[in-house]
Amino acid sequence: MNKLTIIKIGGNVIDDPKSLDQFLTDFAQRTEPAILVHGGGKIATQIGNKLGIEAKMVDGRRITDAETLDLVTMVYGGLTNKKIVAQLQSKGFNAIGLTGADGNVMLAKKRPVKKIDYGFVGDITADGVNTSLLQSMLNQGVNPVFGALTHDGEGHMLNTNADTIASVLAVAMSREFEVELVYCFEQPGVLSDFENKVVIPVLEPKNYQEYKDSGVINSGMIPKLDNAFDALNAGVKSVRIIQFSDLNQAEAGTLIRL
Ligand SMILES: Nc1ncnc2c1ncn2[C@@H]1O[C@H](COP(=O)(O)OP(=O)(O)O)[C@@H](O)[C@H]1O
Ligand SMILES: CC(=O)N[C@@H](CCC(=O)OP(=O)(O)O)C(=O)O
């Protein structure tokens, strides 16, 4: 089976031009096929503030009303995505910027309203991924770069968490490839001591639960790790959580294991 790496880059890295450039330089040096997924939540919040659109988050998910959907479509599908693709081209790496609507690559369902109405937020499963189109792009040597957007097939874009998109893409592509999923962010890995930056080298469900119960693992790291374990349970070969500057270091960060 051919190898494929799916790499997600977090908002704190893409918000910092120097860090982003360093990451993209390392990414462009890779020779095996790869798909890049980017967030940009922080940039959407900043631009929203300038436009008078206030960010409302619940459990790390953005409540996406109609004007917020326009904002994130502009930021994730436009500004951030196109800047990343242009930078990759300048480094000799052929990339194509996509949202889930382009080529119907990621068809999602609007999250049903229960206790909370998240608005135009999409839930996606591996069945909604057009793997054959992605495969043919990769066969042509063109590497997809995804913003955090899907669509509902009825004319609406949907805002979808970038960690989840990376996990679902990894699961879907595992039917055809041996997939490694890599979450890159600004810390050196999942930490057991945040102050002193002590990295947990291997995280399994049992110690994940213990670290969660004691509060050592909290906030945005919880949905990220839930996505990581979901991916492994659904057939993804390997998942790592690493610092963005360690992309090409084999042993860096935290290995997630079942
Ligand atoms: N134990 C932990 N180790 C590392 N980061 C943690 C931990 N617990 C909570 N975090 C927080 O989780 C954040 C990552 O989640 P999030 O901001 O959603 O990621 P991203 O930047 O990739 O979108 C880190 O920036 C950090 O502040
Ligand atoms: C539904 C939802 O919450 N979507 C996210 C998508 C962006 C994202 O995931 O960005 P980071 O990876 O940088 O956090 C949001 O709008 O913040």
Side-chain angles (χ1 to χ4, degrees):
M1 233 184 195
N2 288 333
K3 289 189 176 165
L4 172 69
T5 313
I6 298 190
I7 299 167
K8 190 264 173 168
I9 184 77
N12 286 321
V13 179
I14 58 177
D15 193 35
D16 177 40
K18 230 177 114 204
S19 302
L20 180 61
D21 187 65
Q22 185 186 351
F23 169 80
L24 293 176
T25 299
D26 291 344
F27 183 81
Q29 280 166 7
R30 298 173 67 87
T31 49
E32 283 177 357
I35 296 177
L36 181 63
V37 180
H38 61 83
K42 220 174 145 187
I43 298 171
T45 300
Q46 285 161 3
I47 294 179
N49 286 341
K50 286 189 200 158
L51 298 172
I53 303 169
E54 194 198 331
K56 292 170 242 59
M57 310 292 291
V58 176
D59 293 334
R61 299 291 187 265
R62 190 178 305 265
I63 305 279
T64 306
D65 59 13
E67 66 174 1
T68 303
L69 180 66
D70 286 349
L71 169 71
V72 298
T73 303
M74 289 188 274
V75 175
Y76 307 154
L79 185 68
T80 310
N81 189 268
K82 300 311 159 200
K83 274 187 168 175
I84 289 175
V85 171
Q87 275 178 263
L88 286 172
Q89 299 295 1
S90 78
K91 296 174 193 297
F93 186 92
N94 200 359
I96 183 163
L98 298 171
T99 71
D102 299 291
N104 193 24
V105 269
M106 280 187 299
L107 183 63
K109 285 202 168 61
K110 184 174 176 291
R111 184 170 298 181
V113 179
K114 289 184 186 155
K115 268 189 208 146
I116 296 156
D117 182 358
Y118 283 92
F120 294 101
V121 164
D123 287 326
I124 174 124
T125 64
D127 292 342
V129 180
N130 184 347
T131 52
S132 59
L133 183 60
L134 294 175
Q135 203 170 354
S136 50
M137 287 177 191
L138 292 166
N139 286 343
Q140 304 250 350
V142 186
N143 295 263
V145 175
F146 278 98
L149 293 164
T150 57
H151 77 130
D152 68 357
E154 290 169 19
H156 302 110
M157 298 302 291
L158 294 170
N159 183 10
T160 304
N161 180 270
D163 287 349
T164 307
I165 287 184
S167 169
V168 170
L169 275 177
V171 171
M173 296 305 279
S174 290
R175 295 175 195 146
E176 313 289 342
F177 293 88
E178 189 179 297
V179 176
E180 178 177 32
L181 172 62
V182 184
Y183 286 108
C184 296
F185 74 141
E186 76 285 3
Q187 301 294 340
V190 186
L191 304 172
S192 58
D193 177 347
F194 204 86
E195 292 266 290
N196 297 305
K197 306 292 174 211
V198 181
V199 175
I200 303 166
V202 178
L203 191 67
E204 295 174 334
K206 188 172 174 290
N207 54 348
Y208 174 39
Q209 190 59 49
E210 286 163 7
Y211 283 125
K212 234 183 352 180
D213 292 345
S214 63
V216 167
I217 291 177
N218 56 67
S219 63
M221 188 47 71
I222 294 177
K224 195 185 293 298
L225 284 167
D226 289 343
N227 277 306
F229 284 111
D230 285 351
L232 288 174
N233 278 315
V236 173
K237 173 95 176 153
S238 112
V239 183
R240 285 191 300 144
I241 300 188
I242 65 168
Q243 191 154 40
F244 69 91
S245 49
D246 285 337
L247 183 62
N248 297 333
Q249 312 299 319
E251 301 294 315
T254 302
L255 178 71
I256 313 301
R257 210 163 58 188
L258 288 179

